[in-house]
Amino acid sequence: MAIAFQYNKTSLQHLKKQLKIRENALPILKNKEAALRVEVKKARKEAEQVAAELEQTIDRHESMAGLWEEFDFDLLEVESVEIGSQKVAGVATPVLKDIQFIRHPFSLFNRPAWFPAGMELLKQWIELALRRKVILQKMDRLEFARKKTTQKVNLYEKVQIPGYEDAIRKIERYLEDEENLAKAAQKIVKKRSNSDAL
């Protein structure tokens, strides 16, 4: 990346200021990247645990698979899902706060005796599935933020900081050369004025 600059002290000061900002921000960005990487791993592990827990509860009740054919799924309805927000390493992530269910009334005399237990089991499965979905959304947001942070670290580390250093070096050399030429010119003028005075 070519950095636009002029060969003067004002431009030199501006570039030094920009370089300092990036050099100070780089360790912070690297720490954020590392923290996000850890949080992504945690979220992935949590999502896998919830998925395994859901699979285990379904497997435990596999013997009831035939009974579910007679279950009336309209008896239980998700009324609302409350999702909050929590900052993790500076990134707003979703958090499952609450799930409200509507249990439609039914007659225990006209339905099998296991229906209330089936409704509780169904609630548990829905809660686990929703929890996993929210955790996956959290993981996606964290992963996106991590990628953006990695890009910024690479931009600073590999492009901008070396670019600013190079531009500063060029300006300093130019100003140094200009100063040396001015001193040499002064010496020549002084020498001529001394030889003219004699």
Side-chain angles (χ1 to χ4, degrees):
M1 178 180 134
I3 293 171
F5 63 89
Q6 296 174 345
Y7 289 98
N8 58 41
K9 288 183 181 181
T10 307
S11 183
L12 179 64
Q13 288 174 336
H14 174 73
L15 291 176
K16 283 183 176 181
K17 185 179 177 184
Q18 292 299 316
L19 176 63
K20 188 173 183 173
I21 289 170
R22 281 155 180 78
E23 286 176 337
N24 290 340
L26 188 59
I28 295 166
L29 287 171
K30 284 183 175 181
N31 288 341
K32 182 177 180 178
E33 180 190 20
L36 286 169
R37 194 177 307 275
V38 168
E39 291 299 329
V40 167
K41 283 183 183 177
K42 277 186 197 175
R44 185 174 288 122
K45 189 174 182 181
E46 190 180 355
E48 288 169 0
Q49 287 173 343
V50 171
E53 189 180 337
L54 179 60
E55 199 173 303
Q56 285 173 357
T57 58
I58 291 172
D59 288 347
R60 264 198 314 265
H61 297 90
E62 194 173 338
S63 60
M64 293 176 52
L67 295 175
W68 285 106
E69 290 177 14
E70 62 185 52
F71 187 78
D72 185 1
F73 289 95
D74 292 333
L75 294 176
L76 186 68
E77 186 180 332
V78 176
E79 182 181 14
S80 66
V81 178
E82 185 184 343
I83 296 177
S85 182
Q86 178 185 17
K87 285 222 175 208
V88 177
V91 179
T93 58
V95 176
L96 184 63
K97 293 238 181 197
D98 191 33
I99 305 170
Q100 295 295 320
F101 292 95
I102 298 175
R103 292 175 67 133
H104 295 288
F106 64 94
S107 171
L108 288 172
F109 297 110
N110 297 336
R111 304 283 184 176
W114 66 271
F115 264 37
M119 287 177 79
E120 288 304 313
L121 193 57
L122 190 57
K123 269 177 67 174
Q124 184 183 359
W125 291 344
I126 290 170
E127 286 173 4
L128 286 170
L130 286 173
R131 215 168 98 211
R132 182 175 179 272
K133 187 175 181 179
V134 170
I135 292 168
L136 288 174
Q137 288 175 351
K138 173 183 175 179
M139 188 181 77
D140 288 345
R141 285 189 189 176
L142 290 170
E143 182 63 25
F144 179 77
R146 187 201 60 78
K147 285 180 182 176
K148 285 289 184 192
T149 306
T150 301
Q151 288 174 347
K152 199 163 194 172
V153 165
N154 289 337
L155 176 68
Y156 280 13
E157 202 170 47
K158 296 176 181 165
V159 179
Q160 289 187 346
I161 289 176
Y164 280 112
E165 287 172 342
D166 187 47
I168 288 168
R169 195 171 22 260
K170 285 178 181 176
I171 294 171
E172 285 176 341
R173 284 182 185 158
Y174 176 82
L175 293 175
E176 192 178 292
D177 288 348
E178 202 174 66
E179 189 180 321
N180 288 340
L181 285 172
K183 284 181 183 177
Q186 282 178 349
K187 283 182 181 179
I188 291 170
V189 168
K190 190 174 181 183
K191 208 175 203 181
R192 281 190 184 161
S193 64
N194 283 345
S195 61
D196 287 343
L198 294 176

